[in-house]
Amino acid sequence: MLGNTPTALAFCGFFVAQSDSQLQNSSSQVVIAHQGNKSIFSMANDYQGDIKDFARIVPIPVVPNRNQVRIGNLDAVNTLNDFTAPRLVEYIDEPCRTESSLFATGIVLAISLLILIGMSIWARRAGRLIELLIVFFIIGILIAISWPSFLHQANKAKQPFPDSALNVTVEDQFTVGEYDVVILSAEQSNGLITWLVQNGYKVPTEAQQMLQSYLEEGMKFFVVKVNLTEFEKSGYGFLRPIVLEYESPKFMLPIRLGTLNSTGEQNLIVHILSPEGFAEVSNYRTVPIPTDNTSHQFQPSGQELPYFLKTQNNFSQFYDAMFQREYERQGKNAVFLEYAGYIGTGMNLPNIAYSGMGFAKCDPCTLPPKEIEKLLNLLPTIDPFQSSYVTRLHIRYTQDKFPRDLEFRMVGTSVNAFTEYETIAPKVSRGNIFQGRYVIRRPKGNAYCFAGLRYRKWNQNWTENLKKLTGWDTKEIDKMASR
């Protein structure tokens, strides 16, 4: 089984480069722990560009105190990402086992019938009726034992597959870890931009109108200056996450500023952890990613994919192509649900694998048991609410298709409460979880039996499924299969 997700780009703010350096968002993840009006954001970022110092600015609805800003746990963010990532499942079938069982049962029944016929002839000739009835009784017992097995195997076989002059106020400034933090408020965007420029930062000219719109909404600005020397010492591929928490009835994530660092379509992965249930984006449609929730061990669904996708790079290419195709099909303005399930320490739920400190539910899991146990130990560092529910949302966006920031809504503890429940509910996997799940299967051994012959036909169907999901043509698929 393989878990994978495409590289996540952009962020809920924009980078403000010192000097004339060019800086662009490369990848980001945001984890939000939410309960009531309290939200805790763990924001992880990567960057592109050869610079020595830079900052990023994030619009926020309130001024947080110093205790509400800290360094986050990157390992927790990444492990959670791995746990909820779209997954490729491999099943190895034993088609001949069913056929062998049917064959053996048939032999028993045939022998029983022959014995019955033979004994009938013998009893008639010898006039030994009592002995014949005893034989019938014994054969009846044999048939009674064999028949349930025969029916079971037959049924299995047919299952479907911010300087006052500028009207800018420094609300607070302090240092946390390797970050210098400044909280700004302003009356006009030109004063805010002037403050940034006077402090050595180059702001995109197109930022003024967008910053003004935030000021008109009463937003403050969270400016984080990064010491890249310390960052490079850390050896991380991501900047260490910075955690920001505050209380506000606005449950939202600003993404519009992210487009100022954009070279094209931006991607953002958002995880929402809450004891209140699952979450969706309320001002854009939240739709499910295509998934195969019906294929299981020894139970083909007809939605399987070619076996060569087992190669990690092949699966990555598949998911990238499938996501892009679905993104275009949905009009490039939908938010995609990639996971909605259960994890944490907050409650007991049936049919969930518990370790000593909590539970995690998956079908199947993308992480081995030790990694899941590690995740359960790490969760309190990003989620103090002892949440039981996790939602993973994937947003690919551009400024024209996503002109508003993301506003979230809690939908409750059932996947049936999503606005698009009619399309989500049928794709829920066993255990009442939704996940991006894709299946490959092959027969065990050479499968020298009649049932094994079906895989040749199924291979054609699986190729058609791949074409339908990705838009690839036969030549592209053959080239990938031959590698």
Side-chain angles (χ1 to χ4, degrees):
M1 172 224 318
L2 302 170
N4 182 72
T5 184
T7 304
L9 308 177
F11 184 56
C12 52
F14 70 92
F15 287 127
V16 191
Q18 287 198 323
S19 73
D20 291 327
S21 299
Q22 293 296 314
L23 183 64
Q24 298 169 351
N25 284 332
S26 176
S27 61
S28 68
Q29 300 176 60
V30 180
V31 177
I32 309 172
H34 180 81
Q35 184 178 33
N37 287 335
K38 189 171 184 177
S39 299
I40 303 174
F41 298 79
S42 297
M43 303 174 287
N45 248 76
D46 203 351
Y47 64 93
Q48 293 177 351
D50 184 13
I51 59 172
K52 296 181 179 179
D53 205 3
F54 70 93
R56 67 187 176 198
I57 179 170
V58 181
I60 54 176
V62 296
V63 176
N65 62 55
R66 299 185 181 189
N67 294 329
Q68 293 178 306
V69 182
R70 57 187 178 274
I71 300 299
N73 190 310
L74 181 64
D75 206 10
V77 174
N78 286 341
T79 308
L80 177 62
N81 179 70
D82 292 342
F83 177 78
T84 62
R87 63 222 49 211
L88 182 65
V89 188
E90 177 186 7
Y91 289 129
I92 300 176
D93 299 332
E94 297 183 44
C96 298
R97 185 180 68 171
T98 299
E99 197 168 292
S100 297
S101 298
L102 288 170
F103 182 71
T105 303
I107 290 176
V108 170
L109 293 174
I111 292 174
S112 299
L113 182 59
L114 290 173
I115 293 175
L116 177 61
I117 294 172
M119 290 302 295
S120 297
I121 296 173
W122 170 78
R124 286 180 182 177
R125 292 179 178 177
R128 305 182 70 169
L129 183 58
I130 294 177
E131 289 88 338
L132 178 61
L133 292 174
I134 292 173
V135 171
F136 282 175
F137 179 72
I138 294 173
I139 292 174
I141 292 175
L142 289 173
I143 293 174
I145 293 172
S146 301
W147 190 250
S149 175
F150 175 79
L151 290 177
H152 174 67
Q153 297 297 337
N155 287 333
K156 284 179 68 175
K158 62 184 181 181
Q159 285 176 353
F161 305 10
D163 281 346
S164 56
L166 300 173
N167 292 318
V168 174
T169 302
V170 178
E171 302 285 354
D172 199 1
Q173 62 183 67
F174 52 93
T175 299
V176 55
E178 68 265 42
Y179 295 99
D180 294 328
V181 177
V182 182
I183 311 296
L184 305 176
S185 62
E187 295 183 8
Q188 296 294 327
S189 58
N190 56 353
L192 178 60
I193 291 174
T194 300
W195 186 95
L196 290 168
V197 171
Q198 288 178 350
N199 283 270
Y201 299 98
K202 181 178 175 63
V203 181
T205 55
E206 60 270 30
Q208 182 168 346
Q209 183 176 352
M210 196 175 291
L211 290 173
Q212 184 62 38
S213 68
Y214 283 113
L215 291 173
E216 290 172 356
E217 295 174 13
M219 301 289 275
K220 316 302 179 183
F221 294 91
F222 181 77
V223 180
V224 183
K225 185 177 182 180
V226 179
N227 186 319
L228 283 184
T229 301
E230 293 300 317
F231 166 71
E232 291 170 358
K233 287 180 181 178
S234 71
Y236 288 117
F238 279 80
L239 293 167
R240 280 207 297 175
I242 188 162
V243 177
L244 169 66
E245 65 176 88
Y246 56 76
E247 291 190 37
S248 172
K250 291 184 178 180
F251 185 21
M252 53 85 73
L253 188 67
I255 63 169
R256 289 180 293 152
L257 286 176
T259 61
L260 299 179
N261 300 119
S262 169
T263 56
E265 294 171 340
Q266 301 294 289
N267 287 272
L268 178 65
I269 302 295
V270 180
H271 288 88
I272 300 174
L273 293 158
S274 179
E276 299 173 355
F278 303 118
E280 67 179 1
V281 175
S282 61
N283 56 337
Y284 296 99
R285 291 183 304 122
T286 300
V287 300
I289 199 70
T291 185
D292 177 3
N293 65 319
T294 58
S295 184
H296 300 287
Q297 186 74 56
F298 308 128
Q299 297 179 19
S301 68
Q303 300 179 43
E304 290 85 358
L305 298 170
Y307 193 77
F308 65 79
L309 290 184
K310 183 178 180 179
T311 303
Q312 177 70 37
N313 189 50
N314 285 349
F315 180 59
S316 298
Q317 290 184 47
F318 155 74
Y319 193 84
D320 286 345
M322 185 209 66
F323 188 93
Q324 181 65 25
R325 186 175 178 85
E326 189 66 13
Y327 162 73
E328 292 172 355
R329 193 180 75 83
Q330 295 289 349
K332 299 185 177 182
N333 62 351
V335 173
F336 290 94
L337 178 68
E338 291 184 329
Y339 186 89
Y342 311 101
I343 192 170
T345 58
M347 60 185 285
N348 291 332
L349 294 170
N351 304 318
I352 292 180
Y354 283 82
S355 64
M357 74 296 297
F359 61 86
K361 192 167 188 179
C362 34
D363 176 33
C365 295
T366 56
L367 297 176
K370 286 186 177 180
E371 286 296 302
I372 293 177
E373 188 170 332
K374 169 186 170 183
L375 175 58
L376 293 171
N377 280 316
L378 289 171
L379 276 178
T381 66
I382 57 175
D383 171 31
F385 303 133
Q386 294 189 331
S387 299
S388 299
Y389 303 90
V390 57
T391 308
R392 176 191 176 109
L393 302 172
H394 186 165
I395 303 96
R396 176 168 292 175
Y397 66 99
T398 56
Q399 189 172 353
D400 61 328
K401 293 294 184 177
F402 280 77
R404 296 165 293 163
D405 295 319
L406 303 179
E407 298 174 6
F408 300 108
R409 180 179 79 91
M410 302 305 300
V411 302
T413 60
S414 172
V415 291
N416 291 328
F418 281 94
T419 300
E420 299 277 342
Y421 74 92
E422 290 184 349
T423 56
I424 295 173
K427 298 181 179 182
V428 172
S429 296
R430 294 185 300 189
N432 199 34
I433 59 177
F434 177 87
Q435 56 192 346
R437 181 178 186 272
Y438 311 93
V439 177
I440 57 175
R441 65 190 327 125
R442 65 176 176 84
K444 183 178 181 179
N446 295 314
Y448 292 134
C449 59
F450 289 112
L453 297 176
R454 293 181 297 181
Y455 283 83
R456 295 182 180 177
K457 180 179 180 180
W458 289 350
N459 277 326
Q460 297 176 359
N461 294 339
W462 299 341
T463 299
E464 291 303 314
N465 292 340
L466 184 60
K467 289 180 180 179
K468 186 186 302 184
L469 287 172
T470 63
W472 290 342
D473 59 27
T474 302
K475 185 178 295 186
E476 289 176 288
I477 293 174
D478 290 344
K479 182 179 180 180
M480 181 178 289
S482 64
R483 287 200 297 240

